[in-house]
Amino acid sequence: SRQLEVDGRPFAIRGMAVGNWSLPGPAYFRDLASAGINTVFCLSPPGSGADRDRWLAAFIDRAGDAGLRVVVGPAAAGLRPDDWPRQRADFLATVRRYAGDPRVIAWYGLDEPAAASWEDADLRGFHDAIAALDDRRVIFTNWAYDGVPADASREPRGTLAATDIYAFSDYPFAVYGGGLPRYARTLERVATRAGAAGDAAHAWIQLYSGFDAWREPTPAELRGMVFLGLVHGAMYSYWESGTPSPASWAALAALNRDAERVTMTLAGAVALPPAGGDGFAWRRYRGPAGDYLLVLRTEPRAGQFLLPGVAAGSRLRPVLEAGRPAVMTPDGVVARFGPYDAELFSLEAP
């Protein structure tokens, strides 16, 4: 599979889905950029023909002016449409039109394909048709929680040959949601299978309370979902189909800045396998100047983290929250975390 790069360097999506109910004004895109979003997903522009083309062109212009990258799609979602050949042809025409536009970084081919209505060949063939028109950009297929096999060694409908990024959506507080525990299990299976295949992983994060949701996540729960993805090496984007609460919006900027700092700090470091237990998930990284340790509290209550096996005399420095208390003891690293709290530590050998 192709890897996502922008300007010749690896690129980690921190995205926002932007719906097709109206064309956002320039200020909306600037607000997203100031909140640490670096990518917007243009979801199925409305209308057809020239009207649709003008809508999409204006969207890409406004996003680009704000310094955002764009992912276009999906061509279809859920059940295979009765007029799939026409929708397929329309999307491929869009790929032809924007294949040379540097503001577009990926194609979102299919969203949550319902297994009973699609054949593997449909999904793989559509991926290959896009790739034949644009061999430089990655291609998304996104599977719903029930499209992710329970056995992480198995591949979803269409197989991973139908995508360059193994993406999934599992909204914990929606009608079919299973809370954060099921979200975590789905993410772990996706990241495990993507890693084995050499693919990137991507998680959609619920950021809405309307439509099919019975509530929106709290700021702490949003942090838990984002950092669980980071522990497992997954990129993330927010699915926003309604205006979230002011508290959620206010939390986004700090959360995205922390995620960006983690990504930049760990660039070039070698990730060891993720681990978890006793209400925590963590991952250790080997860097040229020392080790790093990314830790997430995965419970809705505070807890104390202990990591044994760290050399005595090592220096421990929190990267995200400078004043966070963390100490080296004879038993290892000890730090206290609030609900769904996270930290990146620098571990410098004695």
Side-chain angles (χ1 to χ4, degrees):
S1 295
R2 288 168 293 181
Q3 299 300 308
L4 180 58
E5 293 185 346
V6 172
D7 298 330
R9 292 180 293 181
F11 184 82
I13 290 173
R14 296 186 305 279
M16 181 72 74
V18 180
N20 60 9
W21 47 89
S22 64
L23 178 63
Y28 175 81
F29 293 101
R30 292 195 297 268
D31 286 347
L32 291 183
S34 68
I37 297 297
N38 62 14
T39 304
V40 284
F41 286 72
C42 181
L43 301 179
S44 302
S48 59
D51 290 339
R52 181 181 182 279
D53 292 343
R54 281 192 291 269
W55 195 99
L56 179 56
F59 184 105
I60 294 174
D61 285 344
R62 293 177 184 184
D65 289 345
L68 298 169
R69 304 293 179 159
V70 179
V71 179
V72 177
L79 295 172
R80 187 182 192 275
D82 292 336
D83 63 345
W84 170 237
R86 180 193 63 79
Q87 292 184 218
R88 185 181 190 274
D90 286 349
F91 191 81
L92 292 177
T94 299
V95 174
R96 288 189 193 94
R97 185 174 301 112
Y98 289 99
D101 193 321
R103 298 169 298 180
V104 176
I105 62 169
W107 302 109
Y108 191 2
L110 295 168
D111 182 57
E112 299 187 352
S117 67
W118 294 90
E119 298 293 335
D120 286 357
D122 288 327
L123 277 64
R124 291 197 298 263
F126 189 42
H127 171 279
D128 292 348
I130 297 172
L133 296 173
D134 184 356
D135 62 359
R136 295 185 299 115
R137 290 176 180 81
V138 299
I139 299 163
F140 266 78
T141 297
N142 179 73
W143 286 269
Y145 72 94
D146 56 355
V148 175
D151 180 352
S153 68
R154 294 180 53 221
E155 298 189 13
R157 166 65 71 190
T159 76
L160 294 184
T163 192
D164 297 313
I165 296 174
Y166 192 178
F168 81 98
S169 46
D170 188 348
Y171 303 127
F173 310 108
V175 171
Y176 297 104
L180 289 180
R182 192 186 74 186
Y183 174 88
R185 293 192 299 270
T186 307
L187 188 153
E188 289 165 9
R189 294 198 306 273
V190 167
T192 297
R193 190 67 190 91
D199 290 338
H202 176 275
W204 280 108
I205 293 178
Q206 179 186 344
L207 185 68
Y208 65 94
S209 58
F211 186 46
D212 64 348
W214 51 274
R215 75 169 175 88
E216 71 178 65
T218 66
E221 290 164 340
L222 287 172
R223 188 173 184 85
M225 286 188 280
V226 166
F227 270 84
L228 187 64
L230 294 176
V231 168
H232 288 277
M235 300 178 286
Y236 68 92
S237 297
Y238 303 102
W239 192 275
E240 192 261 306
S241 60
T243 303
S245 69
S248 293
W249 274 116
L252 283 187
L255 173 54
N256 293 328
R257 281 196 297 269
D258 281 349
E260 180 181 18
R261 191 168 183 187
V262 167
T263 301
M264 293 180 65
T265 301
L266 297 177
V270 177
L272 303 184
D278 296 327
F280 287 92
W282 65 92
R283 194 167 199 168
R284 195 163 174 172
Y285 302 80
R286 305 285 191 198
D291 288 3
Y292 291 93
L293 179 66
L294 182 60
V295 182
L296 168 69
R297 177 65 174 165
T298 58
E299 297 287 342
R301 61 193 67 83
Q304 183 167 283
F305 176 73
L306 170 65
L307 179 72
V310 177
S314 296
R315 295 180 59 193
L316 183 68
R317 181 176 61 86
V319 174
L320 302 179
E321 185 182 331
R324 178 187 296 274
V327 297
M328 293 292 303
T329 73
D331 296 323
V333 177
V334 175
R336 188 160 183 81
F337 286 75
Y340 304 116
D341 197 4
E343 183 58 83
L344 177 64
F345 296 100
S346 169
L347 290 170
E348 298 175 6

